[in-house]
């Protein structure tokens, strides 16, 4: 049972899962309050990784009765975290070889991948053909693929239940629906601006059909990213989990639950990463209506991208940022991104996890630590 000081009732229909130790930017709370006033909104919940977005906050869940708000899901529909356990023993890793191989990894996938793309689309039930050329690409921003090793097992029984092996390298993939999700949101904005749509109206049904396909597309994309990395590194892997944190779904008998950077707590074990220089936690959610059946999806930004670059570019050279304080390596050809996504730009994942624990929402399984983070191969910046 958790302690209640990590659960704050800000207003009647606004909940915040965060202790006093967790810093939450005032603007994010304002955005949360603003979202709670949207027509037909029943309740909103901020997670400990809550931080400001363009108009609405990231790290939050929003429950409406019968209205869909595409703006609350955002443009990266289906973004999520997939975790694979590889067959590579950690004592057999030659990290410099992996750095070299990943440094020449190009997106998108080439013609040799056509069959696998088709099979993966079928496996996940993806309908659209319009964005096939983007499948297998990670995208920019804080999307990444990260090779990790198990650091601490907190609960042996829970770790065994998901076949987690301390001896093998893990692969965490964070990506979404690339241009597909953008197109869906843009189509909505062209017609309705930021307004919501009635879920069972023609517009609502049309949005949901496209949204659901983009969610499946994003899952297929993470699987193809993992496959491409495995092929490049000549390793094999089994999928341990894949959980979406940007989506809207029907909560039977309650309404429509929008999650924007909020990990579902009703779909089994989830991975909550901190940054390329921090641990990822594997946790078992304790199903609860507190926090609208949701958990944090990461550590959440402390600094906006431009602020991170301004603060760090005088202190660190590019090569300083290609290694982290945990000793891990970073492959990222985009120099600006190296600064924008530096570990310093994120809040403490340890505190976020502590808050979720104190709120009685999770059981800890294990922590993983990065050995090699791969970000977009597109050069640019600085
Ligand atoms: N292990 C890593 N975690 C990272 C990295 N970059 C960001 N992050 C964490 O992921 C979430 C994702 O946020 P989203 O809003 O884009 O879905 C973010 O809050 C960070 O905590 C990384 O390179 N490695
Ligand atoms: Mn994401």
């Amino acid at each position: 049972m958790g302690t209640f000081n990590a659960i704050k009732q800000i207003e009647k229909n606004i909940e915040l899962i965060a202790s006093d130790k967790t810093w939450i930017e005032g603007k994010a709370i304002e955005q949360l309050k603003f979202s709670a006033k949207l027509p037909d909104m029943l309740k909103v919940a901020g997670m400990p990784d809550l931080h400001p977005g363009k108009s609405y906050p990231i790290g939050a869940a929003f429950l409406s009765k019968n209205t869909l708000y595409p703006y609350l899901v955002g443009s990266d529909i289906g973004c999520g975290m997939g975790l694979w356990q590889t067959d590579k023993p950690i004592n057999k890793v030659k990290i410099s070889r992996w750095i070299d191989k990943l440094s020449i990894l190009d997106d998108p996938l080439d013609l040799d991948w056509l069959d696998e793309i088709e099979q993966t689309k079928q496996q996940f039930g993806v309908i659209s053909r319009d964005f096939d050329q983007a499948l297998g690409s990670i995208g920019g921003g804080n999307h990444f693929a990260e090779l990790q090793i198990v650091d601490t097992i907190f609960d042996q029984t829970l770790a065994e239940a998901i076949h987690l092996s301390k001896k093998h390298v893990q692969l965490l993939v964070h990506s979404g629906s690339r241009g597909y999700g953008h197109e869906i949101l843009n189509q909505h904005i062209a017609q309705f601006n930021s307004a919501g749509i009635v879920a069972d109206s023609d517009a609502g049904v049309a949005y949901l059909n496209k949204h659901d396909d983009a969610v499946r597309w994003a899952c297929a994309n993470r699987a193809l990213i993992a496959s491409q990395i495995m092929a490049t590194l000549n390793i094999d892997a089994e999928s341990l989990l894949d959980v979406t944190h940007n989506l809207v779904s029907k909560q039977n008998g309650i309404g429509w639950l929008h999650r924007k950077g909020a990990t579902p707590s009703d779909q089994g074990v989830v991975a909550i990463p901190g940054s390329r220089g921090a641990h990822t936690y594997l946790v078992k959610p304790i199903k609860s209506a507190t926090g609208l059946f949701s958990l944090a999806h990461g550590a959440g930004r402390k600094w906006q991208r431009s602020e991170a670059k301004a603060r760090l570019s005088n202190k660190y050279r590019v090569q300083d940022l290609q290694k982290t304080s945990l000793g891990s390596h970073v492959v990222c050809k985009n120099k600006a991104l190296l600064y924008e996504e530096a570990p310093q730009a994120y809040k403490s994942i340890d505190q976020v996890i502590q808050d979720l624990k104190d709120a009685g929402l999770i059981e800890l399984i294990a922590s993983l630590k990065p050995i090699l983070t791969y970000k977009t191969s597109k050069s640019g910046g600085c």
Side-chain angles (χ1 to χ4, degrees):
M1 199 55 189
T3 54
F4 293 111
N5 56 9
I7 306 171
K8 299 195 171 92
Q9 201 67 44
I10 295 191
E11 284 173 18
K12 205 169 141 242
N13 64 341
I14 307 179
E15 202 171 51
L16 179 64
I17 311 298
S19 69
D20 291 338
K21 289 189 185 148
T22 296
W23 177 75
I24 310 264
E25 208 175 315
K27 189 174 168 193
I29 303 284
E30 288 314 310
Q31 290 183 340
L32 195 63
K33 287 182 177 170
F34 183 67
S35 68
K37 292 196 175 75
L38 289 169
D40 201 34
M41 194 57 74
L42 299 173
K43 181 177 167 182
V44 302
M47 306 296 133
D49 59 333
L50 187 78
H51 59 283
K54 269 193 199 126
S55 313
Y56 295 104
I58 299 162
F62 317 85
L63 181 69
S64 66
K65 194 156 193 316
N66 196 30
T67 306
L68 300 174
Y69 284 101
Y71 238 84
L72 292 179
V73 176
S75 58
D76 201 8
I77 301 166
C79 191
M81 302 281 170
L83 183 69
W84 282 260
Q85 178 156 273
T86 77
D87 60 355
K88 187 75 176 176
I90 59 174
N91 55 359
K92 293 271 161 57
V93 174
K94 298 237 168 30
I95 202 75
S96 56
R97 273 202 211 156
W98 278 11
I99 292 171
D100 291 345
K101 284 183 172 175
L102 290 178
S103 296
I104 52 162
L105 187 64
D106 273 323
D107 47 350
L109 296 171
D110 62 29
L111 291 176
D112 295 348
W113 284 84
L114 281 181
D115 285 350
E116 182 152 353
I117 290 175
E118 214 38 62
Q119 275 167 23
T120 311
K121 282 184 72 182
Q122 268 182 30
Q123 182 193 337
F124 289 92
V126 178
I127 295 164
S128 170
R129 310 208 71 87
D130 295 349
F131 293 87
D132 283 9
Q133 76 290 350
L135 278 164
S137 62
I138 292 181
N142 44 10
H143 295 139
F144 62 87
E146 196 164 85
L147 293 147
Q148 307 181 329
I149 55 174
V150 175
D151 191 29
T152 309
I153 293 198
F154 301 107
D155 188 314
Q156 193 62 41
T157 313
L158 292 178
E160 275 167 20
I162 58 162
H163 300 130
L164 186 69
S165 160
K166 242 189 148 170
K167 294 194 180 123
H168 291 94
V169 173
Q170 314 290 324
L171 170 63
L172 181 67
V173 177
H174 171 224
S175 192
S177 56
R178 312 281 285 110
Y180 192 9
H182 280 265
E183 186 182 88
I184 295 169
L185 183 63
N186 286 342
Q187 283 170 354
H188 173 81
I189 291 170
Q191 247 190 308
F192 302 99
N193 212 332
S194 61
I197 40 180
V198 176
D200 48 15
S201 67
D202 287 351
V205 171
Y207 172 77
L208 272 178
N209 282 338
K210 286 182 278 183
H211 161 284
D212 292 353
D213 198 46
V215 169
R216 295 189 293 264
W217 192 102
C219 293
N221 192 37
R222 288 188 288 276
L224 284 163
I225 291 167
S227 293
Q228 192 190 18
I229 290 176
M230 287 180 237
T232 305
L233 301 181
N234 201 17
I235 53 178
D236 213 345
E238 65 163 313
S239 165
L240 294 190
L241 61 91
D242 187 276
V243 183
T244 302
H245 52 236
N246 290 350
L247 77 167
V248 57
S249 54
K250 191 166 188 170
Q251 289 293 114
N252 277 336
I254 310 180
W256 290 91
L257 184 54
H258 305 68
R259 292 183 173 107
K260 172 65 177 160
T263 298
S265 66
D266 50 4
Q267 289 169 30
V269 171
V270 301
I272 307 182
S275 74
R276 66 183 189 229
H279 288 93
T280 291
Y281 285 85
L282 279 184
V283 306
K284 182 178 176 203
I286 297 170
K287 210 171 162 189
S288 165
T290 305
L292 285 175
F293 307 98
S294 301
L295 302 171
H297 78 311
R301 288 196 87 89
K302 186 167 70 183
W303 300 337
Q304 299 294 320
R305 291 212 157 80
S306 54
E307 192 187 351
K309 192 151 172 271
R311 281 176 181 255
L312 302 173
S313 53
N314 291 335
K315 278 196 195 155
Y316 301 101
R317 297 165 304 165
V318 163
Q319 55 267 46
D320 299 329
L321 297 180
Q322 286 166 337
K323 266 202 107 175
T324 74
S325 59
L326 290 177
S328 63
H329 301 261
V330 184
V331 172
C332 172
K333 289 187 191 145
N334 185 318
K335 292 177 189 162
L337 203 55
L338 263 177
Y339 288 92
E340 291 163 3
E341 291 300 321
Q344 294 89 329
Y346 286 95
K347 298 200 270 186
S348 156
I349 189 63
D350 301 332
Q351 187 58 52
V352 165
I353 294 295
Q354 190 60 49
D355 286 2
L356 294 174
K357 217 167 157 273
D358 288 346
L361 298 181
I362 56 166
E363 284 175 80
L364 291 185
I365 301 176
S367 66
L368 313 178
K369 74 177 189 177
I371 55 171
L372 176 52
T373 303
Y374 173 75
K375 294 185 71 74
T376 176
S377 63
K378 295 216 167 55
S379 57
C382 285

